[in-house]
Amino acid sequence: MSTLSEAYQDLPLHPHHVIPLDFDSVRALPDSHAWPPASHSSESDDRLSIPTVDLTDPDAGKLIGQACEAWGAFQVTNHAIPLDLLREVESEARRLFSLPTGQKLKALRSPGGATGYGLARISPFFNKYMWHEGFTIMGSSTDHASDLWPNDYQRFW
């Protein structure tokens, strides 16, 4: 089995599937990002809520597997990560995404790459682009962080 990074190298994306929309320069909704209105049920239904996994639950591993299979995502409770650390991570994320677009593009993920700034790798599976930008980290973030903040990148580690 190959690693995720190797799989991404074998299936490179077209550059327009990597570069996010420049949110600061958009004056009107581009058709490429105009999704049809979603239909939501007014009834409460647990099947419509992202699963929550309590890590103190003896079946947490099984619950995570089920959540990934059904949703591809889950919320974690009782993870024991200190609140101060979570606040620091959120602060650094805000610092990253508040950079000017040109600065963020210095850490642009390559079409065959797995890490760096850009759209999610799932973007080509949809006929419209998502309203987001992302920064993927696997392993050390040193190279990308030093591209973004040449003199102040240690905080991002």
Side-chain angles (χ1 to χ4, degrees):
M1 176 187 272
S2 63
T3 66
L4 190 56
S5 294
E6 290 168 338
Y8 285 167
Q9 288 172 357
D10 293 343
L11 299 167
L13 297 175
H14 189 281
H16 73 269
H17 288 298
V18 177
I19 301 172
L21 182 66
D22 180 0
F23 295 99
D24 293 329
S25 67
V26 175
R27 300 292 176 244
L29 176 63
D31 184 57
S32 60
H33 288 72
W35 288 71
S39 60
H40 296 286
S41 170
S42 60
E43 297 177 29
S44 177
D45 187 342
D46 285 343
R47 294 174 298 152
L48 301 177
S49 298
I50 293 176
T52 299
V53 177
D54 181 341
L55 292 185
T56 62
D57 186 319
D59 291 326
K62 179 181 172 186
L63 295 170
I64 289 170
Q66 291 170 343
C68 288
E69 288 176 7
W71 280 83
F74 55 93
Q75 180 179 350
V76 176
T77 60
N78 294 316
H79 46 68
I81 298 173
L83 189 55
D84 288 347
L85 178 57
L86 292 174
R87 287 183 180 133
E88 279 183 60
V89 169
E90 184 176 347
S91 173
E92 287 306 300
R94 288 184 192 283
R95 187 168 78 117
L96 167 70
F97 291 110
S98 65
L99 289 171
T101 300
Q103 187 72 12
K104 291 182 279 194
L105 289 174
K106 291 180 180 180
L108 185 65
R109 183 182 64 241
S110 68
T115 63
Y117 176 71
L119 293 175
R121 292 284 308 205
I122 62 170
S123 296
F125 295 104
F126 299 95
N127 60 0
K128 297 289 183 179
Y129 290 115
M130 292 174 244
W131 284 87
H132 82 285
E133 55 185 341
F135 192 87
T136 304
I137 299 171
M138 291 185 203
S140 173
S141 62
T142 304
D143 291 340
H144 291 303
S146 62
D147 289 339
L148 296 168
W149 301 286
N151 301 313
D152 186 25
Y153 62 90
Q154 289 84 0
R155 284 178 27 197
F156 192 76
W157 293 354

